[in-house]
Amino acid sequence: MPSPPLRLAALLLCLVAAAADSPYRFFDWNVTYGTIYPLGVPQQGILINGQFPGPEIYSVTNDNIIVNVFNSLDEPFLIHWNGVQNRRNSFEDGVLGTTCPIPPGQNFTYILQMKDQIGSFFYLPSLGMHKAAGGFGGIRIMSRPLIPVPFDPPADDFTLLIGDWYTNNHTVLRTILERGKKLPFPHGVLINGRGPGSTAFTVDQGKTYRLRVCNVGLQNSLNFRIQGHKMKVVEIEGTHTLQISYSSLDIHLGQCMSVLITADQPPQNYYVVASTRFTSEVLNNTAFLKYSSSSTPASGPLPGGPTTEIDWSLNQARSFRTNLTASGPRPNPQGSYHYGMINTTKTIRLASSASQVNGKQRYALNSVSFVAPDTPMKLADYFKIDGVFRVGSISEAPNGAGMYTDTSVLGADYRTFIEIVFENYENIVQSYHLAGYSFWVVGMDGGQWSSDSRNQYNLRDAVSRCTVQVYPNSWSAIYIALDNVGMWNLRSEFWARQYLGQQTYLRVYTASTSLRDEYPIPKNALLCGRAKGRHTRPI
């Protein structure tokens, strides 16, 4: 565990923060291995304070979150904050391109701020295949008390972490990938770390509840549904949406959304189902919605859902729209920023591919399969260490070249407004996440993207989010206002693919050294690789 002086310092900070009534929340996390039985067989899991999944982070807009992570594993460890923008501070992002891993037996304290954010997100271990062993948990960012929310306060607020799962040890999965092979089909689906029939949510007749549902899985989109109940979507990754009700929802890898459900059915138990999408074999998990006034078990067939239908999912995705009159993290309406009236300064087109490099399976963007350097690129940038990476080492459009490995970094200037088009020539659903940002998903369709595709863009009320799916043989387009300086990971959420190279980094650059644009390196930053032995900054 952390040393006594460090724990004393943390305690003093707590007391100071409490005295000043500052928006600080402190967490001490011990990361360990432990035996878990999510699918009924014992396996090694990664626990946080003995919990699988890990403890949820509850916060409010602009809160400062201080998380002291002690690594009790036998290998390095990092946590990434999926959807938390870490504004002006990519040093804290917790991926290999920005942050040195926490060595075994040591600790690192993350200093985060939920700056100008609301919504539903999650954290995850970003190294190797640790995510296949656990170490993930929910993040909820509530609106400040005086900011109006476009629905009445729910009777309760539940987080549901759903995802496909392997019973293999994460080291076994990593070995399969490092030998150049593909992973087998997963063994099941979990809901909050448990297998079928093991999870229940208790509700009172006539009351309304909020469910925050995140797909924390490894390779499959999931469909989510509740027997006999409609789900009203109210928030997607920090954006309040038009409130439309659905019988079932596709939630793709890395994505989160909030729904409201009303307990308006005859009192009994009802099935809650998460099942794989676009797979020949359908895996599912069943939990229960339990009415508190009844002990009648759930009955009848499981509620049906879509299986392999692409158009169904595409049309549902297009139906999600921003509630333009609702407040976001600030009191001004979400529609007050007219993104569709801003001219883009650059278009980046990124195409995925799968191939062999030196006889081993790899994945790439624009023919470049990413390999991490010995020094995080953000540290190399800060300390001006040559030879770690090169901006422009990946082309800004598909070039048809054969696949090769490199430390790929895209470059863009601070305060520009750009377009990224994800092109998918493969027969699987892709899902991409960009750290540090929310972006507007302005369009998606089948076939080849061209400049004429912009004629169908939604330039009025597209949802701003941090993860976007791309359907087979299709494209998805996003607009981004580059207002967050730093080195930001852009990756596939299909975890084996990102591990084997389907990722890159976007370096958002300014020559300014003002604290208004970017914070200096944290005083407690871990230094590794060619940055080892250098100094962060004066205390």
Side-chain angles (χ1 to χ4, degrees):
M1 292 297 295
S3 64
L6 190 148
R7 295 184 64 82
L8 177 61
L11 177 61
L12 290 174
L13 281 172
C14 285
L15 295 174
V16 171
D21 197 26
S22 299
Y24 279 79
R25 298 178 191 267
F26 294 84
F27 302 83
D28 269 317
W29 287 358
N30 186 30
V31 180
T32 62
Y33 290 124
T35 302
I36 57 176
Y37 302 80
L39 292 177
V41 296
Q43 64 182 112
Q44 184 188 70
I46 292 178
L47 314 180
I48 298 179
N49 292 352
Q51 299 178 45
F52 168 73
E56 184 168 33
I57 291 179
Y58 175 95
S59 63
V60 176
T61 301
N62 294 342
D63 276 359
N64 296 285
I65 304 297
I66 314 300
V67 187
N68 180 35
V69 178
F70 191 86
N71 178 15
S72 294
L73 306 182
D74 57 3
E75 59 183 348
F77 186 77
L78 268 180
I79 292 181
H80 171 65
W81 316 95
N82 206 74
V84 177
Q85 293 176 8
N86 289 312
R87 300 194 65 79
R88 297 183 284 174
N89 196 6
S90 62
F91 294 105
E92 303 279 3
D93 203 41
V95 288
L96 269 178
T98 63
T99 314
C100 290
I102 307 170
Q106 296 187 29
N107 75 296
F108 176 70
T109 301
Y110 291 91
I111 303 171
L112 316 173
Q113 188 184 28
M114 307 317 198
K115 178 67 175 173
D116 288 337
Q117 286 193 262
I118 58 169
S120 310
F121 308 100
F122 63 96
Y123 61 86
L124 63 116
S126 63
L127 297 187
M129 291 297 290
H130 284 164
K131 188 182 178 188
F136 49 76
I139 299 173
R140 63 175 70 177
I141 309 176
M142 310 296 290
S143 296
R144 288 173 288 175
L146 298 180
I147 305 297
V149 175
F151 49 87
D152 293 334
D156 207 343
D157 192 329
F158 300 108
T159 294
L160 286 79
L161 304 179
I162 62 176
D164 52 12
W165 188 257
Y166 290 92
T167 57
N168 305 92
N169 191 294
H170 73 93
T171 58
V172 172
L173 299 177
R174 185 177 65 201
T175 298
I176 292 172
L177 295 175
E178 289 178 349
R179 289 176 177 171
K181 307 298 182 183
K182 297 180 180 179
L183 294 184
F185 192 62
H187 297 115
V189 172
L190 303 187
I191 297 177
N192 285 351
R194 297 185 177 186
S198 303
T199 306
F201 305 92
T202 301
V203 297
D204 294 333
Q205 178 78 29
K207 294 184 178 180
T208 297
Y209 297 82
R210 181 174 183 170
L211 307 182
R212 302 169 185 263
V213 190
C214 296
N215 185 342
V216 299
L218 299 168
Q219 71 179 56
N220 285 295
S221 301
L222 298 177
N223 182 265
F224 181 80
R225 52 202 183 272
I226 302 174
Q227 183 184 27
H229 293 73
K230 293 285 190 180
M231 299 176 291
K232 183 183 293 183
V233 176
V234 294
E235 176 256 332
I236 296 177
E237 295 168 22
T239 295
H240 287 133
T241 61
L242 291 181
Q243 297 180 15
I244 301 174
S245 294
Y246 301 86
S247 297
S248 71
L249 290 162
D250 277 354
I251 305 178
H252 305 278
L253 286 167
Q255 295 186 349
C256 295
M257 62 176 63
S258 287
V259 302
L260 297 180
I261 62 164
T262 299
D264 55 5
Q265 298 301 302
Q268 65 172 64
N269 291 354
Y270 291 89
Y271 293 118
V272 177
V273 180
S275 59
T276 55
R277 284 285 266 129
F278 319 114
T279 57
S280 55
E281 176 187 354
V282 178
L283 301 174
N284 66 60
N285 188 341
T286 304
F288 299 101
L289 188 72
K290 300 182 65 172
Y291 279 59
S292 61
S293 59
S294 173
S295 59
T296 304
S299 61
L302 296 181
T307 53
T308 59
E309 303 88 344
I310 297 292
D311 287 346
W312 186 97
S313 188
L314 175 62
N315 290 332
Q316 182 178 86
R318 287 171 167 169
S319 72
F320 299 144
R321 300 295 177 103
T322 294
N323 184 337
L324 297 177
T325 61
S327 298
R330 296 186 178 188
N332 50 301
Q334 294 179 136
S336 58
Y337 189 95
H338 301 289
Y339 69 91
M341 301 177 66
I342 303 173
N343 292 326
T344 57
T345 57
K346 177 188 289 191
T347 295
I348 298 173
R349 295 168 50 212
L350 295 173
S352 64
S353 58
S355 188
Q356 299 267 320
V357 176
N358 297 324
K360 293 185 176 182
Q361 182 67 47
R362 297 288 300 185
Y363 301 94
L365 292 171
N366 289 358
S367 302
V368 185
S369 185
F370 180 86
V371 290
D374 60 3
T375 307
M377 290 97 73
K378 183 59 191 172
L379 296 186
D381 215 10
Y382 179 82
F383 289 117
K384 296 181 170 46
I385 302 171
D386 293 332
V388 174
F389 72 95
R390 180 176 59 86
V391 175
S393 49
I394 177 174
S395 64
E396 295 183 353
N399 55 21
M403 186 182 295
Y404 61 97
T405 59
D406 200 353
T407 302
S408 56
V409 177
L410 293 160
D413 291 331
Y414 180 44
R415 292 181 176 164
T416 57
F417 193 81
I418 70 170
E419 172 187 41
I420 296 180
V421 181
F422 298 99
E423 302 180 19
N424 182 12
Y425 305 126
E426 301 180 73
N427 290 318
I428 65 168
V429 176
Q430 308 271 1
S431 185
Y432 290 97
H433 174 81
L434 176 61
Y437 283 93
S438 286
F439 46 72
W440 290 273
V441 182
V442 293
M444 55 177 63
D445 204 355
Q448 174 75 44
W449 181 89
S450 71
S451 58
D452 291 338
S453 301
R454 296 189 179 108
N455 295 330
Q456 60 177 284
Y457 281 6
N458 176 2
L459 300 180
R460 182 174 181 271
D461 59 358
V463 172
S464 177
R465 60 188 308 174
C466 58
T467 312
V468 62
Q469 73 273 23
V470 193
Y471 293 101
N473 301 298
S474 302
W475 56 267
S476 294
I478 64 175
Y479 280 178
I480 317 172
L482 296 181
D483 58 359
N484 196 10
V485 175
M487 186 79 68
W488 302 108
N489 189 214
L490 193 164
R491 64 175 180 272
S492 169
E493 289 283 7
F494 190 132
W495 213 244
R497 293 179 74 109
Q498 70 81 31
Y499 182 72
L500 293 180
Q502 193 173 322
Q503 60 173 304
T504 188
Y505 282 78
L506 177 65
R507 178 185 184 249
V508 179
Y509 175 75
T510 178
S512 168
T513 57
S514 170
L515 295 180
R516 293 175 299 178
D517 299 325
E518 186 176 25
Y519 293 143
I521 188 171
K523 293 183 226 179
N524 69 328
L526 298 175
L527 301 180
C528 56
R530 281 176 265 179
K532 195 168 185 177
R534 296 179 183 246
H535 299 286
T536 52
R537 55 194 175 99
I539 296 177

Short mmCIF file of all heavy atoms in Angstrom, two decimals, residues 263-288:
data_model
loop_
_atom_site.label_atom_id
_atom_site.label_comp_id
_atom_site.label_asym_id
_atom_site.label_seq_id
_atom_site.Cartn_x
_atom_site.Cartn_y
_atom_site.Cartn_z
N ALA A 263 -41.61 1.93 -14.23
CA ALA A 263 -42.14 0.65 -13.76
C ALA A 263 -43.66 0.69 -13.82
O ALA A 263 -44.35 0.85 -12.81
CB ALA A 263 -41.64 0.38 -12.34
N ASP A 264 -44.19 0.57 -15.04
CA ASP A 264 -45.62 0.75 -15.28
C ASP A 264 -46.32 -0.54 -15.70
O ASP A 264 -47.43 -0.50 -16.25
CB ASP A 264 -45.84 1.83 -16.34
CG ASP A 264 -45.10 1.55 -17.64
OD1 ASP A 264 -44.48 0.47 -17.76
OD2 ASP A 264 -45.14 2.40 -18.54
N GLN A 265 -45.68 -1.68 -15.47
CA GLN A 265 -46.26 -2.96 -15.84
C GLN A 265 -46.79 -3.68 -14.59
O GLN A 265 -46.47 -3.29 -13.45
CB GLN A 265 -45.21 -3.82 -16.54
CG GLN A 265 -44.69 -3.22 -17.84
CD GLN A 265 -45.80 -3.00 -18.85
OE1 GLN A 265 -46.51 -3.94 -19.24
NE2 GLN A 265 -45.97 -1.74 -19.29
N PRO A 266 -47.59 -4.73 -14.76
CA PRO A 266 -48.06 -5.50 -13.60
C PRO A 266 -46.87 -5.96 -12.75
O PRO A 266 -45.85 -6.41 -13.29
CB PRO A 266 -48.79 -6.68 -14.23
CG PRO A 266 -49.24 -6.17 -15.56
CD PRO A 266 -48.17 -5.23 -16.02
N PRO A 267 -46.96 -5.86 -11.43
CA PRO A 267 -45.81 -6.19 -10.57
C PRO A 267 -45.39 -7.66 -10.69
O PRO A 267 -46.19 -8.57 -10.46
CB PRO A 267 -46.33 -5.89 -9.16
CG PRO A 267 -47.43 -4.92 -9.37
CD PRO A 267 -48.08 -5.31 -10.66
N GLN A 268 -44.14 -7.87 -11.07
CA GLN A 268 -43.50 -9.18 -11.12
C GLN A 268 -42.05 -8.94 -11.50
O GLN A 268 -41.60 -7.79 -11.53
CB GLN A 268 -44.18 -10.10 -12.15
CG GLN A 268 -44.05 -9.64 -13.61
CD GLN A 268 -44.56 -10.67 -14.60
OE1 GLN A 268 -45.74 -10.98 -14.61
NE2 GLN A 268 -43.67 -11.18 -15.43
N ASN A 269 -41.31 -9.97 -11.77
CA ASN A 269 -39.96 -9.81 -12.31
C ASN A 269 -40.02 -9.81 -13.83
O ASN A 269 -40.84 -10.52 -14.43
CB ASN A 269 -39.05 -10.95 -11.84
CG ASN A 269 -38.76 -10.87 -10.36
OD1 ASN A 269 -39.14 -9.91 -9.69
ND2 ASN A 269 -38.10 -11.90 -9.83
N TYR A 270 -39.11 -9.05 -14.46
CA TYR A 270 -39.03 -9.00 -15.92
C TYR A 270 -37.58 -9.23 -16.35
O TYR A 270 -36.64 -8.85 -15.64
CB TYR A 270 -39.52 -7.65 -16.44
CG TYR A 270 -41.00 -7.44 -16.25
CD1 TYR A 270 -41.50 -6.88 -15.07
CD2 TYR A 270 -41.91 -7.83 -17.23
CE1 TYR A 270 -42.86 -6.70 -14.87
CE2 TYR A 270 -43.28 -7.65 -17.06
CZ TYR A 270 -43.75 -7.09 -15.87
OH TYR A 270 -45.10 -6.93 -15.69
N TYR A 271 -37.41 -9.86 -17.51
CA TYR A 271 -36.08 -10.14 -18.02
C TYR A 271 -35.41 -8.87 -18.54
O TYR A 271 -36.02 -8.04 -19.22
CB TYR A 271 -36.15 -11.15 -19.17
CG TYR A 271 -36.61 -12.53 -18.78
CD1 TYR A 271 -37.78 -13.08 -19.32
CD2 TYR A 271 -35.87 -13.31 -17.89
CE1 TYR A 271 -38.20 -14.36 -18.97
CE2 TYR A 271 -36.28 -14.58 -17.53
CZ TYR A 271 -37.46 -15.10 -18.07
OH TYR A 271 -37.87 -16.35 -17.72
N VAL A 272 -34.13 -8.73 -18.22
CA VAL A 272 -33.25 -7.72 -18.80
C VAL A 272 -32.20 -8.48 -19.61
O VAL A 272 -31.52 -9.35 -19.07
CB VAL A 272 -32.55 -6.88 -17.70
CG1 VAL A 272 -31.60 -5.87 -18.32
CG2 VAL A 272 -33.59 -6.19 -16.82
N VAL A 273 -32.09 -8.18 -20.91
CA VAL A 273 -31.27 -9.00 -21.80
C VAL A 273 -30.22 -8.16 -22.52
O VAL A 273 -30.51 -7.07 -23.02
CB VAL A 273 -32.15 -9.72 -22.86
CG1 VAL A 273 -31.28 -10.59 -23.78
CG2 VAL A 273 -33.22 -10.58 -22.18
N ALA A 274 -29.00 -8.68 -22.55
CA ALA A 274 -27.92 -8.14 -23.40
C ALA A 274 -27.44 -9.28 -24.29
O ALA A 274 -27.06 -10.34 -23.77
CB ALA A 274 -26.78 -7.59 -22.56
N SER A 275 -27.45 -9.07 -25.60
CA SER A 275 -27.06 -10.14 -26.53
C SER A 275 -26.17 -9.61 -27.63
O SER A 275 -26.23 -8.42 -27.99
CB SER A 275 -28.30 -10.81 -27.14
OG SER A 275 -29.09 -9.87 -27.86
N THR A 276 -25.32 -10.47 -28.14
CA THR A 276 -24.37 -10.06 -29.18
C THR A 276 -25.10 -9.76 -30.49
O THR A 276 -26.12 -10.36 -30.81
CB THR A 276 -23.31 -11.14 -29.43
OG1 THR A 276 -23.97 -12.39 -29.74
CG2 THR A 276 -22.43 -11.32 -28.22
N ARG A 277 -24.55 -8.82 -31.21
CA ARG A 277 -25.07 -8.41 -32.51
C ARG A 277 -24.09 -8.79 -33.60
O ARG A 277 -22.87 -8.83 -33.39
CB ARG A 277 -25.30 -6.90 -32.54
CG ARG A 277 -26.52 -6.46 -31.78
CD ARG A 277 -27.80 -6.80 -32.57
NE ARG A 277 -28.21 -5.65 -33.37
CZ ARG A 277 -28.50 -5.69 -34.67
NH1 ARG A 277 -28.40 -6.80 -35.33
NH2 ARG A 277 -28.88 -4.60 -35.31
N PHE A 278 -24.63 -9.06 -34.79
CA PHE A 278 -23.84 -9.31 -36.00
C PHE A 278 -22.94 -10.53 -35.85
O PHE A 278 -21.84 -10.58 -36.39
CB PHE A 278 -23.01 -8.07 -36.38
CG PHE A 278 -23.75 -6.77 -36.20
CD1 PHE A 278 -23.36 -5.84 -35.25
CD2 PHE A 278 -24.87 -6.49 -36.97
CE1 PHE A 278 -24.05 -4.65 -35.07
CE2 PHE A 278 -25.57 -5.30 -36.79
CZ PHE A 278 -25.16 -4.37 -35.85
N THR A 279 -23.41 -11.52 -35.09
CA THR A 279 -22.65 -12.76 -34.91
C THR A 279 -23.53 -13.94 -35.31
O THR A 279 -24.75 -13.92 -35.09
CB THR A 279 -22.22 -12.94 -33.44
OG1 THR A 279 -23.38 -12.90 -32.58
CG2 THR A 279 -21.27 -11.83 -33.01
N SER A 280 -22.91 -14.97 -35.90
CA SER A 280 -23.69 -16.15 -36.30
C SER A 280 -24.19 -16.91 -35.08
O SER A 280 -25.31 -17.43 -35.06
CB SER A 280 -22.84 -17.06 -37.19
OG SER A 280 -21.63 -17.41 -36.55
N GLU A 281 -23.37 -16.99 -34.04
CA GLU A 281 -23.81 -17.54 -32.76
C GLU A 281 -24.13 -16.38 -31.84
O GLU A 281 -23.31 -15.47 -31.65
CB GLU A 281 -22.70 -18.40 -32.13
CG GLU A 281 -23.04 -18.93 -30.76
CD GLU A 281 -21.87 -19.62 -30.08
OE1 GLU A 281 -20.82 -19.79 -30.73
OE2 GLU A 281 -22.00 -19.97 -28.88
N VAL A 282 -25.34 -16.38 -31.28
CA VAL A 282 -25.77 -15.27 -30.43
C VAL A 282 -25.55 -15.64 -28.97
O VAL A 282 -26.08 -16.63 -28.47
CB VAL A 282 -27.25 -14.92 -30.66
CG1 VAL A 282 -27.69 -13.80 -29.72
CG2 VAL A 282 -27.47 -14.50 -32.11
N LEU A 283 -24.73 -14.84 -28.29
CA LEU A 283 -24.52 -14.99 -26.85
C LEU A 283 -25.42 -13.99 -26.13
O LEU A 283 -25.60 -12.85 -26.60
CB LEU A 283 -23.06 -14.70 -26.48
CG LEU A 283 -21.98 -15.57 -27.13
CD1 LEU A 283 -20.60 -15.03 -26.74
CD2 LEU A 283 -22.14 -17.02 -26.70
N ASN A 284 -26.00 -14.40 -25.00
CA ASN A 284 -26.80 -13.44 -24.26
C ASN A 284 -26.64 -13.65 -22.76
O ASN A 284 -26.19 -14.69 -22.29
CB ASN A 284 -28.27 -13.49 -24.67
CG ASN A 284 -28.94 -14.80 -24.32
OD1 ASN A 284 -29.00 -15.18 -23.15
ND2 ASN A 284 -29.47 -15.49 -25.32
N ASN A 285 -27.01 -12.61 -22.03
CA ASN A 285 -27.04 -12.65 -20.58
C ASN A 285 -28.38 -12.09 -20.14
O ASN A 285 -28.90 -11.14 -20.74
CB ASN A 285 -25.91 -11.80 -19.99
CG ASN A 285 -25.77 -11.96 -18.48
OD1 ASN A 285 -26.69 -12.41 -17.79
ND2 ASN A 285 -24.62 -11.57 -17.95
N THR A 286 -28.93 -12.69 -19.11
CA THR A 286 -30.23 -12.27 -18.62
C THR A 286 -30.11 -11.83 -17.16
O THR A 286 -29.65 -12.59 -16.31
CB THR A 286 -31.25 -13.42 -18.71
OG1 THR A 286 -31.31 -13.87 -20.07
CG2 THR A 286 -32.62 -12.96 -18.28
N ALA A 287 -30.52 -10.60 -16.89
CA ALA A 287 -30.68 -10.10 -15.53
C ALA A 287 -32.18 -9.91 -15.28
O ALA A 287 -33.00 -10.30 -16.12
CB ALA A 287 -29.91 -8.81 -15.35
N PHE A 288 -32.53 -9.29 -14.15
CA PHE A 288 -33.94 -9.15 -13.81
C PHE A 288 -34.27 -7.75 -13.34
O PHE A 288 -33.50 -7.12 -12.60
CB PHE A 288 -34.33 -10.14 -12.71
CG PHE A 288 -34.13 -11.58 -13.09
CD1 PHE A 288 -33.01 -12.27 -12.64
CD2 PHE A 288 -35.01 -12.23 -13.93
CE1 PHE A 288 -32.79 -13.58 -12.99
CE2 PHE A 288 -34.80 -13.54 -14.31
CZ PHE A 288 -33.69 -14.23 -13.84
#
